[in-house]
Amino acid sequence: ILKTLNSWFWWENIWMPINCTWADFVDREGLVFPKPHELYATIPYAFVLLIIRFFSERYVAIPLAKALGIKNVRRVKPQPNPVLESYFRECSRHPSQSEIQGLAKKCNCTVHLVEKWFRRRRNLEIPTVLRKFQEAFWRFSFYLTSSIVGFIFLYDKPWFYDIWQTWVGYPFQTLLPSQYWYYMVEIAFYWSLLFTLGTDTRRKADFVAHVVHHLAAIGLMSGSWCGNYLRLGTLVIFVHDTADFWLEAAKMFNYARWEKTCNVLFVIFSITFFITRIILFPLWILRATLYQPTYYSTTPVIAYFLFNGMLLTLQGLHLYWGYLIFKILKRFVFLK
């Protein structure tokens, strides 16, 4: 069964134009092509990023937070109580008064002590401002670095200025070392975000949207790697990262209560977001993925529909987040 599924998955008609086979993608005469098995390396790379994150959060983010006036609030842990802990995890974090009285009798203590225990236990679940600052600092550092490096990788490439160049010579476009590392690190970063979803600060408003976004990003980058859509892929990555570090910077100064700086950064983020995600992405990237392939081939491969489906899903998320950003800007302008 696995062999059959594997043969179906790597069927040439899914990935590449007619009359092309996987045998055509063997390295030769100075041409180097991306190989699907190289994507396995993104998992150990993700753990390398987690190690870098640990040291950057501890030895850079914490001193920076202290310099900005953010204090590390130490919360008092409740006394160990297996009965109350079990109830807290399995039943309710906010027990009713009758339930508290029943627990007090069961633990042979006062109602006041049970209420105090639950209050302290709930406080432990709330991430501290310092913890939020550390997470924002890590994402800010990565997105800023990725944006700078991405621009260095792309500024001298003809497809950065002429989107039609992304299809010239396809599918026999050689893999550049810069493209290899750009892809490997980006995919590894989103793997690392998925690995830490359980420990990072959970935001109820768009938790599901973030999960969908991370999975779609990994799927898109991995698929475009296998299909050698690297020129378009690097443009998609660059368009996404250039807005994100402004948001993370705004969060950092928000946690430090630097309101004016935070507001300026958020306005810059909003402008950058709408330019890159609401204007450039559909009119530049989606135009290149939806329209231009039909110009080069009258019979689009199955990957054409798969990749564009995921790109349209991302655009749907852009519109959703754009709506949330617009609501915040509206409150910011009209309600001060």
Side-chain angles (χ1 to χ4, degrees):
I1 293 174
L2 291 176
K3 286 183 178 180
T4 303
L5 292 175
N6 185 65
S7 63
W8 287 352
F9 185 81
W10 296 112
W11 184 34
E12 280 91 350
N13 289 358
I14 293 178
W15 298 95
M16 58 192 65
I18 296 175
N19 299 325
C20 288
T21 65
W22 291 114
D24 297 323
F25 286 85
V26 177
D27 296 349
R28 64 185 185 278
E29 299 174 0
L31 292 177
V32 179
F33 298 106
K35 297 153 185 80
H37 67 83
E38 293 174 323
L39 292 174
Y40 291 125
T42 59
I43 301 298
Y45 289 158
F47 287 102
V48 172
L49 286 179
L50 289 176
I51 295 172
I52 296 173
R53 173 179 178 175
F54 173 80
F55 285 103
S56 65
E57 287 184 351
R58 169 167 289 195
Y59 298 108
V60 182
I62 292 179
L64 179 60
K66 291 180 179 178
L68 293 174
I70 298 175
K71 297 180 181 179
N72 186 16
V73 179
R74 294 182 179 272
R75 294 197 173 111
V76 180
K77 291 184 179 181
Q79 291 294 327
N81 190 311
V83 175
L84 298 181
E85 182 67 28
S86 176
Y87 193 91
F88 180 87
R89 290 181 176 275
E90 298 175 8
C91 299
S92 174
R93 298 183 179 188
H94 298 272
S96 64
Q97 196 62 33
S98 60
E99 291 170 334
I100 290 176
Q101 291 174 355
L103 290 169
K105 290 181 180 179
K106 195 172 182 179
C107 297
N108 194 24
C109 61
T110 65
V111 170
H112 174 70
L113 287 176
V114 174
E115 291 175 339
K116 185 178 180 180
W117 189 95
F118 273 93
R119 184 167 59 252
R120 287 182 173 178
R121 185 64 180 83
R122 285 193 298 268
N123 287 338
L124 289 180
E125 299 290 309
I126 302 173
T128 64
V129 174
L130 178 61
R131 182 60 199 156
K132 292 180 180 180
F133 181 90
Q134 289 176 277
E135 293 178 10
F137 173 81
W138 165 246
R139 291 192 294 268
F140 165 79
S141 302
F142 180 86
Y143 289 132
L144 177 61
T145 304
S146 176
S147 299
I148 295 173
V149 172
F151 180 76
I152 294 172
F153 286 166
L154 290 168
Y155 85 97
D156 61 342
K157 306 298 187 296
W159 54 87
F160 188 58
Y161 307 96
D162 180 9
I163 197 70
W164 285 91
Q165 293 292 325
T166 56
W167 295 106
V168 174
Y170 181 82
F172 304 111
Q173 298 169 343
T174 189
L175 169 66
L176 304 175
S178 60
Q179 292 172 329
Y180 173 86
W181 287 110
Y182 202 19
Y183 258 76
M184 291 294 112
V185 174
E186 283 284 336
I187 297 175
F189 175 71
Y190 283 105
W191 276 124
S192 71
L193 291 182
L194 281 178
F195 294 158
T196 57
L197 275 177
T199 56
D200 286 345
T201 302
R202 179 164 179 167
R203 294 166 178 82
K204 295 180 181 179
D206 57 355
F207 175 79
V208 175
H210 272 95
V211 174
V212 173
H213 176 272
H214 297 344
L215 291 174
I218 292 172
L220 262 173
M221 287 187 285
S222 300
S224 64
W225 175 270
C226 296
N228 201 19
Y229 302 108
L230 302 183
R231 294 182 180 182
L232 270 171
T234 51
L235 294 178
V236 172
I237 294 170
F238 181 74
V239 165
H240 277 74
D241 288 351
T242 48
D244 289 340
F245 70 85
W246 293 107
L247 176 62
E248 301 304 332
K251 288 180 183 179
M252 290 163 59
F253 283 101
N254 178 51
Y255 299 143
R257 300 187 182 279
W258 289 35
E259 288 190 13
K260 291 183 179 180
T261 306
C262 170
N263 292 339
V264 170
L265 289 170
F266 186 79
V267 170
I268 296 174
F269 158 73
S270 302
I271 295 171
T272 309
F273 182 93
F274 282 106
I275 291 174
T276 56
R277 308 283 184 92
I278 307 300
I279 298 175
L280 275 181
F281 187 79
L283 299 182
W284 190 43
I285 300 295
L286 288 181
R287 177 173 172 266
T289 62
L290 287 168
Y291 165 68
Q292 291 179 1
T294 62
Y295 179 83
Y296 285 99
S297 175
T298 56
T299 54
V301 293
I302 297 175
Y304 168 85
F305 301 99
L306 296 176
F307 293 147
N308 279 299
M310 286 189 282
L311 287 171
L312 290 172
T313 299
L314 279 182
Q315 183 58 23
L317 290 173
H318 297 164
L319 295 174
Y320 168 70
W321 281 319
Y323 168 72
L324 296 180
I325 293 167
F326 179 77
K327 284 177 63 178
I328 296 174
L329 285 176
K330 185 178 178 181
R331 289 167 56 192
F332 173 69
V333 173
F334 294 105
L335 302 179
K336 303 297 182 184

